[in-house]
Amino acid sequence: MSVREGQRLLACVLATVVACSGTPSAESEGVRAIPPQSPPRFEEFAAEAIFRGAPAPIDLSGETARRFRTRLSAARAEGANFAGRFALVTWGCGTACLSGALLDLRSGAVHPLPIAPELGLDFRADSRLLIVHPPAEIAEQYPPGSERPARVRSEYYVWSDSTSGWTLRATIYPPPASSAR
């Protein structure tokens, strides 16, 4: 493992521990490993109508909300961009590290993201599906013929209002990258 890969791995692990404390593990949720040709689709997890009202004040009782109030305030002003009524906002947390939160525009509640997305996110205002490490980002970062760490995989999370939390729906492990150089 190169020094750069080691640094990226350490940053990702630390960010994941901080961002994901209290979130369910894949094993506890009975996650299904599915082939790359059949990932969950945004349309399968439609959101309610997109919230266009005046957003509630941000609940600053949590540490994340207090530390990142400026980023959350900017996202609040932009409006809903995830699951109909949420502002999903991200910020950098070091080399190859991204963290963020989900701001409920109706209540002002701030929820952590399910994982620190090293390779980005894909999401829509009209869907409850969140893709961590989208396949296109994996392909761009690790083109055919390059080495890809085993931990790099697309994960598909769905927001559930009934549990006020995330459910990991599927983990897709891309085909192994060729290690020939």
Side-chain angles (χ1 to χ4, degrees):
M1 175 183 307
S2 71
V3 172
R4 181 177 177 198
E5 286 176 325
Q7 290 172 334
R8 289 178 73 184
L9 178 60
L10 179 59
C12 187
V13 169
L14 291 174
T16 300
V17 169
V18 171
C20 297
S21 58
T23 58
S25 70
E27 293 77 19
S28 70
E29 292 297 318
V31 174
R32 59 188 175 114
I34 59 177
Q37 63 269 25
S38 60
R41 296 181 334 213
F42 289 109
E43 299 79 24
E44 295 174 44
F45 302 97
E48 58 193 62
I50 296 175
F51 179 73
R52 304 215 189 273
I58 300 169
D59 176 358
L60 297 173
S61 62
E63 182 181 348
T64 298
R66 286 191 305 274
R67 289 183 62 204
F68 297 99
R69 74 179 75 196
T70 303
R71 297 284 300 158
L72 290 165
S73 294
R76 179 179 175 265
E78 300 262 332
N81 64 4
F82 177 74
R85 70 170 200 266
F86 296 95
L88 195 152
V89 60
T90 60
W91 49 82
C93 54
T95 304
C97 180
L98 190 63
S99 190
L102 194 61
L103 171 63
D104 187 330
L105 297 172
R106 285 189 190 157
S107 70
V110 178
H111 305 278
L113 293 183
I115 188 171
E118 177 182 344
L119 295 179
L121 302 168
D122 196 5
F123 55 92
R124 296 184 186 172
D126 63 352
S127 179
R128 297 177 299 115
L129 179 65
L130 173 70
I131 304 172
V132 178
H133 308 138
E137 295 295 328
I138 292 173
E140 183 178 319
Q141 184 71 25
Y142 300 100
S146 67
E147 291 186 39
R148 177 183 44 78
R151 66 177 158 57
V152 174
R153 64 194 180 277
S154 296
E155 294 183 345
Y156 296 76
Y157 292 86
V158 176
W159 178 260
S160 171
D161 285 328
S162 63
T163 62
S164 293
W166 298 99
T167 300
L168 180 60
R169 297 299 293 223
T171 298
I172 297 180
Y173 294 87
S178 169
S179 58
R181 286 192 169 219

